[in-house]
Amino acid sequence: MPDQGDVAQRRLAEIWSSHQGSAEQTQSPGADANPVRGRHEALIVRLGDELAEHSRKLGPIDPQTVDARVALGVAQLDGGHVTDAVPLLEHAINTIDPADAAAAGRLATAKAALARAYLKQRRVRLAIGLYESLLSDTSGVSTEEQRWGYRTKLAVAHRAGGNGTAAIDQLEGLVAELDGRDDARVHLVDALVELATTHVVTRGAADGVQLYERALPLAIEVHGAEHRTTLSVRLLLAEAHQQANESTQAIGTYEQLISDAELALGPHDKLSAQAQSELTVLLRARS
């Protein structure tokens, strides 16, 4: 039987990514997410029609066809259809010849999306390979901000593959590089949260608590107190308190989070429901 602490750690490792997905992942069934989902599904249908038309008129490797294939792959990925997205993006990567800046940019976009898809599928080595390829590219096709994102995702991939040391080393270096830069605060929040999560699931919750507490005021400053990202950091902080056996702090954090999240996102939102569920479990364990 799995150790309960190990199960809790694995769950905690997945919470952050679960709140960074598409609109259809953010609310529970029965909430008002269906219009958003419907619009996204309509977008997928439209992009599929465009891909079919370009492929028929221009051929499968024409730049416009490849652009349409990448756009459809990204839309499928953002809509939660990872299995549908992967072959589209793999096909695009295999047909792009980065002979000019436009083609190189097209290839980088496809690689970044496919790396995200592989990471969602837990195909960690493939994701690592793509992120390393993107970071080793010296053509300048990726912006500095994009490269910060690749570095964070590469660390997440290392963590998912069980290499917490590599993840922490990379994230600590990135945090040190971004700290104090006004143009990098969004990425600093991401890096701090992933660093905190990596500490919790690999080395201990106490360091994770401190890092989440460091990330939280920055998230409020960057995103606002009611933004999903900020509320997600608070959920992670509550989980880390719970993992560190700081039940009083965890309960207080959950209770305030539930109140704020229900006002900001609604009582049926996935984040609100998750916080309520975790608090219920914690209170039962204490009784």
Side-chain angles (χ1 to χ4, degrees):
M1 181 176 179
D3 180 83
Q4 288 185 344
D6 291 341
V7 172
Q9 285 184 322
R10 286 197 296 273
R11 185 179 68 238
L12 178 58
E14 295 173 355
I15 289 175
W16 173 254
S17 60
S18 74
H19 294 301
Q20 294 299 301
S22 65
E24 73 173 341
Q25 294 175 302
T26 62
Q27 292 182 307
S28 301
D32 59 355
N34 286 335
V36 176
R37 186 185 305 121
R39 288 195 295 273
H40 197 90
E41 294 301 318
L43 172 64
I44 289 174
V45 171
R46 179 174 64 79
L47 291 173
D49 291 342
E50 289 182 4
L51 173 59
E53 182 177 3
H54 288 320
S55 184
R56 178 174 57 84
K57 290 183 177 180
L58 303 173
I61 62 173
D62 184 87
Q64 291 186 58
T65 305
V66 175
D67 280 343
R69 185 173 289 112
V70 172
L72 177 58
V74 171
Q76 294 279 24
L77 177 60
D78 290 342
H81 309 302
V82 182
T83 302
D84 294 325
V86 167
L88 289 164
L89 296 167
E90 288 178 335
H91 187 285
I93 287 173
N94 290 331
T95 56
I96 295 173
D97 177 14
D100 54 40
R106 194 176 298 120
L107 180 60
T109 298
K111 281 184 175 182
L114 183 57
R116 281 200 294 133
Y118 283 153
L119 196 52
K120 287 179 178 291
Q121 292 182 325
R122 301 300 190 205
R123 299 166 73 180
V124 174
R125 290 189 178 183
L126 293 175
I128 288 173
L130 285 172
Y131 284 125
E132 288 179 339
S133 174
L134 287 163
L135 289 168
S136 66
D137 182 10
T138 59
S139 68
V141 67
S142 298
T143 67
E144 187 177 32
E145 286 198 10
Q146 286 173 325
R147 294 176 71 85
W148 292 335
Y150 300 154
R151 289 168 65 182
T152 299
K153 289 293 188 182
L154 175 59
V156 171
H158 278 301
R159 183 181 72 215
N163 192 345
T165 299
I168 287 174
D169 287 347
Q170 291 186 32
L171 289 166
E172 286 180 341
L174 182 58
V175 165
E177 182 179 325
L178 301 182
D179 195 17
R181 288 191 58 163
D182 289 339
D183 61 341
R185 293 180 300 166
V186 171
H187 290 278
L188 180 57
V189 172
D190 292 347
L192 281 169
V193 168
E194 295 298 356
L195 179 59
T197 301
T198 306
H199 270 285
V200 171
V201 301
T202 62
R203 295 187 178 180
D207 288 342
V209 166
Q210 294 179 5
L211 287 162
Y212 288 134
E213 288 177 338
R214 179 181 171 188
L216 182 54
L218 184 60
I220 294 171
E221 179 185 346
V222 171
H223 298 292
E226 298 180 348
H227 193 276
R228 177 173 299 278
T229 297
T230 305
L231 296 170
S232 296
V233 176
R234 291 172 61 185
L235 176 58
L236 286 163
L237 175 59
E239 285 272 358
H241 279 307
Q242 184 175 351
Q243 189 70 21
N245 296 317
E246 299 168 351
S247 57
T248 300
Q249 294 93 322
I251 290 170
T253 306
Y254 279 131
E255 289 176 339
Q256 188 60 56
L257 170 61
I258 291 165
S259 176
D260 293 343
E262 288 184 350
L263 285 173
L265 305 175
H268 301 293
D269 185 88
K270 186 174 181 179
L271 191 151
S272 303
Q274 176 72 31
Q276 183 61 67
S277 174
E278 296 293 342
L279 176 59
T280 300
V281 171
L282 178 55
L283 290 175
R284 284 175 180 170
R286 294 190 77 191
S287 61

